[in-house]
Amino acid sequence: MEYFSPAVLGSCYLRAMISFLLPFLLIALSIACWLFVVVKRGTEFKKLVASGVETLATITVKTTVRMGKKRRPALTYEFTDPTGTAHKRRVFVTNAVYERFQEGGAVPVVYLPEKASVNALKWDVEDAKGALTKI
């Protein structure tokens, strides 16, 4: 019978535990990141509802994005805030919304006056407002 020192056994045990726990830690980290993004965007929508400013943005790109086996329609819009800074955002939309708008067309958006990089389509902000009044 071979004798292994406690240091060797401890090292093997540590490697086994790391290889066992690593997938769980990666999943937990992914969930934490996803929750952070959801909470952050929810907070932004709450601010957009409370103090957002409406403007018209220009649709610069109309495309579809592959997500798994499906393709999702997306619009990229751009607007300029009162300081002259351009802001751009790509948003996923329904097929009906995608068909309704064309590149170069105008779309209503809402942005925060103190941080115009926080912006969203107007009807998404209105939907958030409706949801917030139900809470």
Side-chain angles (χ1 to χ4, degrees):
M1 183 161 133
E2 287 188 46
Y3 172 75
F4 293 102
S5 72
V8 171
L9 289 176
S11 174
C12 291
Y13 177 75
L14 183 61
R15 285 183 189 166
M17 287 304 294
I18 289 173
S19 62
F20 177 76
L21 291 176
L22 191 60
F24 295 106
L25 293 173
L26 290 175
I27 290 170
L29 182 63
S30 298
I31 291 171
C33 290
W34 179 79
L35 280 173
F36 173 77
V37 169
V38 168
V39 169
K40 180 181 178 214
R41 193 65 177 150
T43 302
E44 291 174 348
F45 265 90
K46 193 173 182 180
K47 291 177 182 176
L48 286 168
V49 167
S51 61
V53 175
E54 185 179 339
T55 191
L56 288 177
T58 302
I59 297 173
T60 56
V61 179
K62 202 178 153 180
T63 188
T64 58
V65 177
R66 176 174 233 93
M67 298 189 102
K69 294 182 180 181
K70 295 184 178 184
R71 296 192 71 79
R72 291 195 55 198
L75 301 174
T76 301
Y77 62 81
E78 187 173 328
F79 69 96
T80 304
D81 67 21
T83 67
T85 306
H87 300 276
K88 186 185 280 190
R89 179 178 294 272
R90 181 175 72 177
V91 292
F92 293 105
V93 295
T94 63
N95 287 325
V97 169
Y98 182 80
E99 295 301 325
R100 189 171 43 166
F101 292 97
Q102 300 301 321
E103 284 185 14
V107 62
V109 298
V110 176
Y111 69 91
L112 290 180
E114 65 277 5
K115 188 176 180 183
S117 61
V118 176
N119 57 75
L121 296 169
K122 180 183 177 190
W123 56 80
D124 287 340
V125 175
E126 290 172 349
D127 288 346
K129 183 177 183 178
L132 287 169
T133 57
K134 292 178 183 177
I135 294 177

